[in-house]
Amino acid sequence: MITFEDVTKTYPSQLRPALSAVTVDIAEGEFVFLVGASGSGKSTFLRLVLREERPTSGRIHVAGRDLARLSSWKVPALRREMGVVFQDFRLLPNKTVAQNVAFALEVIGKPGHAIRELVPGVLDLVGLQGMSNRRPDELSGGEQQRVAIARAFANRPALLLADEPTGNLDPATSVGIMKLLDRINRTGTTVVMATHDAAIVDSMRKRVVELEGGRVVRDQSRGVYGYTH
Amino acid sequence: MRAQFVLSEVGIGLRRNLTMTVAVIVAVAISVAFLGTALLFRSQVQTMKGFWYDKVEVAVFLCGPGSDATGCATGPVTQQQRDQILAELQAMPEVERVYYESQQEAFEHFSEQFADSGIVENVEPESLPESFRVKLRDPEQFRVIAAHLAGRPGVEQIQDMREVLGRIFRVLNWFTLAAAVVAVVQLVAAMLLIANVIRVAAFSRRRETGIMRLVGASRFYIQLPFLLEGALAGLIGALLAAAGVVALQRFLVEDVLRREFTFVAFVGWDEVWRTIPLMLATGVVLAALASAVTVRKYLRV
């Protein structure tokens, strides 16, 4: 699903590369934790997958596409194959839960009848049945993150990227979100989650890729968060 | 679905920024109105030139009872002098045609031209000079005629009517140019204003466009609402300007000028209808262009 071959990314204004010589292969259907301190390169990794950034050198393949050769007008098609979830939810405050999810489908040109079928189903999946007419400010943080996950997953992407999805949530709520991500992963969707929540990583026993100063220092299946914390 | 989504986004955008939208519409209306005025003024000058140049070129005024020019020392022009001058004019290769305008005819033309002004009552046929009206093969050959007839007994004055009219047209051309300059400056200002409005709109909707980017919305969905927003404001402004030009033609040119100044040809509705599409196109295209440049700069896909 995601292949990094010897990828280095140096931002224009910086001397030290944000990622250096990273080689990682993530297969379809995997659940991978990306761990490491702030500034270790986790976000850069995700931005490269999203093609928000291009690598300075090395090759990246995502969902069967060579990102170096992908022309910019095909980027939207690439992004339709993945869903993204952030620490700050990024919901539209003036739209209801259902409208927030529907918006993501409208703007990729899904027809109205398909949207009306998809939205209730995905809200059920994330456990928000009966809340479709609430607005984001009437929801708890965990519920808001569920809306964000519903929006990311509504189009049934093959890949779900999560950038610190539990960063703003208390431990009990985080467990609920992790269960949801695990359930999504079991439907066959590849999940890549950047985090520095050690308890969650330790409890899930999934593959762990640890970055430090832009390099992969550990790639362990069924790993734990690490020894430094 | 697509069209409906884009149009509702356009509506939301225009309403969210209502005051700015009004400013854009007014700016476009003013600039396009100046453009239309400049274009019609140019047509007006062309029309007048065609109308007058066709009628007059060189006037050879003959001595009357009160003339004191050098050629008039012997008193009013005699029949012999008149025949002599006519024969010489007709013999010149530069001359295409010669008309004789008697004092009575001059008076009739004068009365016609100034019919409404009351000045006619103070003028008698005897106070107007008789003249030969000369049409040249090449209007630039005025000097040849002037040199040939200057100081000739019976000739009071030789006037290149193009010269006289030329002065009027130079003034009118300056008006045209001034209107055009104002139009261009205003259009640039309107475009900058539009660019700014679109920038603000893009900023105020950055949350939406950010999500659109992430879920893989195409350029069509992300940028088109902003382009249409600019183009629509441009179109409304241009329509207002067109309405203004139509009103100007209807109430100033047709109702007042054409009736007051019967001896002058004015631009007709033909020219107005030909100018309006140009005005609308300018308003829409420049507004869309300003939006497009801004959108490309501030809205990455």
Side-chain angles (χ1 to χ4, degrees):
Chain A
M1 180 56 60
I2 301 174
T3 311
F4 274 47
E5 283 173 60
D6 202 21
V7 171
T8 297
K9 172 67 186 176
T10 310
Y11 288 105
S13 56
Q14 289 174 351
L15 288 173
R16 208 175 59 83
L19 278 186
S20 104
V22 169
T23 299
V24 173
D25 188 35
I26 296 172
E28 233 178 282
E30 264 195 289
F31 194 120
V32 180
F33 283 116
L34 212 53
V35 303
S38 296
S40 60
K42 303 191 298 287
S43 293
T44 299
F45 184 95
L46 293 180
R47 290 172 67 79
L48 285 167
V49 174
L50 271 168
R51 205 182 168 282
E52 290 261 27
E53 301 288 346
R54 287 160 170 271
T56 312
S57 67
R59 290 159 67 84
I60 303 175
H61 283 81
V62 176
R65 292 173 173 85
D66 180 351
L67 295 200
R69 292 192 193 167
L70 193 70
S71 58
S72 57
W73 65 273
K74 282 185 176 163
V75 169
L78 168 77
R79 292 192 183 143
R80 284 176 203 193
E81 301 216 16
M82 45 180 117
V84 202
V85 179
F86 298 93
Q87 184 173 1
D88 57 358
F89 321 136
R90 301 198 186 172
L91 301 176
L92 299 174
N94 54 346
K95 288 192 191 299
T96 65
V97 167
Q99 285 167 345
N100 262 287
V101 178
F103 180 77
L105 295 168
E106 279 167 15
V107 299
I108 59 171
K110 275 264 189 285
H113 62 86
I115 294 174
R116 279 190 292 278
E117 265 172 39
L118 281 170
V119 172
V122 77
L123 287 178
D124 278 359
L125 178 85
V126 300
L128 289 176
Q129 49 274 65
M131 298 203 182
S132 57
N133 291 324
R134 303 268 192 96
R135 286 181 190 277
D137 57 5
E138 301 167 340
L139 301 176
S140 70
E143 287 163 344
Q144 288 188 50
Q145 191 59 288
R146 283 170 192 269
V147 178
I149 292 171
R151 181 178 67 194
F153 193 60
N155 196 31
R156 307 289 149 144
L159 171 64
L160 187 71
L161 303 176
D163 194 356
E164 314 248 7
T166 59
N168 275 345
L169 306 175
D170 60 69
T173 312
S174 299
V175 170
I177 295 294
M178 290 317 297
K179 280 188 178 155
L180 175 56
L181 291 178
D182 192 34
R183 184 146 19 105
I184 284 172
N185 176 235
R186 283 176 205 278
T187 66
T189 299
T190 311
V191 177
V192 178
M193 173 171 160
T195 186
H196 37 224
D197 190 333
I200 281 175
V201 178
D202 291 348
S203 70
M204 297 281 288
R205 289 283 163 174
K206 299 286 188 185
R207 181 178 168 190
V208 174
V209 173
E210 183 174 350
L211 292 168
E212 197 181 294
R215 292 178 180 278
V216 176
V217 294
R218 178 164 62 109
D219 186 348
Q220 205 173 21
S221 57
R222 303 179 61 76
V224 292
Y225 188 84
Y227 321 105
T228 49
H229 293 262
Chain B
M1 191 63 217
R2 294 186 139 211
Q4 196 193 331
F5 174 83
V6 170
L7 289 180
S8 84
E9 286 286 297
V10 171
I12 290 169
L14 287 176
R15 257 175 289 141
R16 184 177 320 203
N17 257 319
L18 194 61
T19 49
M20 291 291 259
T21 306
V22 170
V24 167
I25 288 173
V26 170
V28 172
I30 291 175
S31 51
V32 172
F34 267 100
L35 177 77
T37 310
L39 288 172
L40 285 174
F41 222 95
R42 219 188 89 225
S43 307
Q44 175 61 33
V45 171
Q46 297 298 337
T47 307
M48 286 165 85
K49 268 188 182 165
F51 181 79
W52 276 338
Y53 277 10
D54 193 45
K55 290 189 163 51
V56 289
E57 280 177 1
V58 177
V60 179
F61 292 106
L62 304 178
C63 297
S67 305
D68 51 4
T70 46
C72 300
T74 54
V77 66
T78 63
Q79 185 59 40
Q80 194 198 344
Q81 286 169 337
R82 208 180 278 135
D83 292 343
Q84 172 77 16
I85 293 165
L86 177 61
E88 281 189 36
L89 277 172
Q90 280 170 336
M92 290 180 79
E94 291 86 357
V95 173
E96 190 183 312
R97 258 178 306 169
V98 184
Y99 309 92
Y100 173 69
E101 190 181 87
S102 68
Q103 287 184 314
Q104 187 57 40
E105 281 165 344
F107 178 72
E108 277 163 18
H109 288 153
F110 186 87
S111 320
E112 214 172 88
Q113 289 180 5
F114 297 97
D116 301 326
S117 65
I119 196 173
V120 181
E121 289 153 35
N122 305 319
V123 174
E124 303 204 321
E126 292 72 39
S127 54
L128 294 171
E130 57 185 295
S131 61
F132 286 115
R133 301 287 165 144
V134 182
K135 188 159 172 58
L136 299 177
R137 265 182 236 291
D138 173 8
E140 303 302 318
Q141 293 296 316
F142 165 73
R143 284 182 194 293
V144 181
I145 307 282
H148 192 76
L149 292 178
R152 178 76 47 114
V155 174
E156 183 184 8
Q157 201 192 359
I158 304 158
Q159 219 173 41
D160 186 356
M161 297 306 278
R162 279 166 32 95
E163 179 80 13
V164 177
L165 292 174
R167 256 174 270 149
I168 298 172
F169 290 138
R170 265 197 293 283
V171 173
L172 293 179
N173 280 334
W174 278 111
F175 277 128
T176 308
L177 189 66
V181 167
V182 173
V184 168
V185 171
Q186 284 281 348
L187 278 174
V188 170
M191 284 177 79
L192 293 177
L193 184 63
I194 289 166
N196 223 354
V197 168
I198 297 298
R199 193 172 64 87
V200 170
F203 184 77
S204 71
R205 272 184 273 170
R206 65 195 182 286
R207 237 196 275 252
E208 281 85 346
T209 50
I211 291 164
M212 289 162 100
R213 266 160 51 70
L214 285 175
V215 301
S218 58
R219 170 167 293 173
F220 178 87
Y221 276 93
I222 298 178
Q223 298 188 339
L224 196 64
F226 294 96
L227 290 190
L228 287 183
E229 216 175 295
L232 189 64
L235 179 65
I236 295 172
L239 281 173
L240 286 179
V245 165
V246 167
L248 207 68
Q249 175 76 10
R250 171 78 178 72
F251 296 112
L252 183 67
V253 176
E254 300 293 337
D255 279 6
V256 180
L257 294 180
R258 208 185 285 289
R259 289 187 195 163
E260 293 289 321
F261 302 94
T262 46
F263 57 96
V264 180
F266 286 101
V267 286
W269 287 106
D270 274 9
E271 279 94 342
V272 174
W273 299 137
R274 243 177 291 146
T275 306
I276 283 175
L278 213 66
M279 293 167 64
L280 296 185
T282 306
V284 172
V285 168
L286 289 186
L289 199 71
S291 313
V293 171
T294 320
V295 158
R296 282 190 162 270
K297 196 169 162 197
Y298 291 100
L299 276 184
R300 289 194 308 140
V301 173

